[in-house]
Every structure is written in structure tokens, then in C-alpha cells.
Amino acid sequence: AAHAQASVYVTWANLHLSDVPSTTGPTTQPQSFWASGIGGGVTVNILPLPVVSLGIDLRGSTKSGTNGADTALGGLKLGVHPPAMPVKLYLQGSVGYLGVRPASGVTNKYGAWEILGGLDYPLIHFVAHGYAEGRKANATLDGLSSGALR
């Protein structure tokens, strides 16, 4: 019988943020920057079938200081493991929080969403890659993450 499985992972989160309002004195200007930091999360598969699985994923990341960002997201992850192939494909949609600290040091807080996909390959079992894109009020996020799965 199938049973729920949990996966814990650590990621390197490389976020590009653009059009972030940065206020210095009386002047507010849009700023773009990279916020590379560390992240992690957990996925609990709630429907682990032989070819497909559905899980709940909770993830977050941080890059402290100015030109930094913090994320906290939760969502659903759909995995597909074709029977004759040694790979597992996944698609995930999440919603949550994005806190952005531009050069001014003032934190801008947004609701966030992301759609990401990836490929797990068992010969390099501990490595996975994904791409995320999301939109928030007055800020755009594009990112590439890679991480270790267990």
C-alpha cells in the first residue's frame, strides 16, 4: 500500500528583483538587483501513486541585509515518474510572502506566487533544479534555484 513520504531540501536561491521601490530621502526610484541566498523546504506527498504523486510543499529563502529578500511560500506539487524512465518530473504552484530590502534598507512586503517545474534524476539523486517566475505589486521576480534533496 502507498504511504505518505516527506522530502526535506536545502536550496541556493538566486532571485532577480526588478522595479522595487527604493526610497532615499524624499526620492523614490525603482531598483533592480540580484538577491542570492539560502533556502529550504519540505514536501509531503499526500497521494503517492506509482506513476504520479501529489504533495504539499512549504518553502522559504533568505538573503539578509540590503539588496536582500525573504520568501515564504506554500503550494501543491505534482510529480510524474514514467515507469520506463529514471527521471521524475514535477510541476508546482505556490502562493505566499515576499519581503524585499532594496538599498534604502526599507522592507517592501508583497503577496507572491510562483510556478516552477523541475527534473529529479536518480543518478544524481541529491541534485534538482527548478525555475520560478512570479509577480507582485510593483516588483517582478525571476529566479533559478538548485538544491539538495533527501
Side-chain angles (χ1 to χ4, degrees), residues 35-116:
S36 301
I38 190 165
V42 62
T43 300
V44 177
N45 286 323
I46 56 175
L47 184 63
L49 299 175
V51 177
V52 296
S53 63
L54 181 65
I56 296 173
D57 184 81
L58 302 172
R59 63 176 52 224
S61 65
T62 189
K63 192 276 184 184
S64 61
T66 58
N67 288 344
D70 301 310
T71 65
L73 300 159
L76 294 176
K77 182 177 184 178
L78 177 66
V80 177
H81 186 185
M85 300 179 74
V87 297
K88 183 176 182 181
L89 307 167
Y90 66 88
L91 181 63
Q92 178 175 333
S94 298
V95 296
Y97 164 82
L98 170 67
V100 180
R101 287 177 304 284
S104 66
V106 177
T107 301
N108 298 299
K109 299 174 184 176
Y110 304 104
W113 62 268
E114 73 177 358
I115 297 173
L116 59 106

Side-chain angles (χ1 to χ4, degrees), residues 20-47:
V20 176
S22 182
T23 304
T24 305
T27 307
T28 299
Q29 295 182 356
Q31 181 184 354
S32 297
F33 57 92
W34 285 94
S36 301
I38 190 165
V42 62
T43 300
V44 177
N45 286 323
I46 56 175
L47 184 63

Side-chain angles (χ1 to χ4, degrees), residues 50-51 80-90 118-127 149:
V51 177
V80 177
H81 186 185
M85 300 179 74
V87 297
K88 183 176 182 181
L89 307 167
Y90 66 88
L119 173 74
D120 292 340
Y121 188 67
L123 291 179
I124 50 173
H125 180 73
F126 295 102
V127 178
L149 298 173

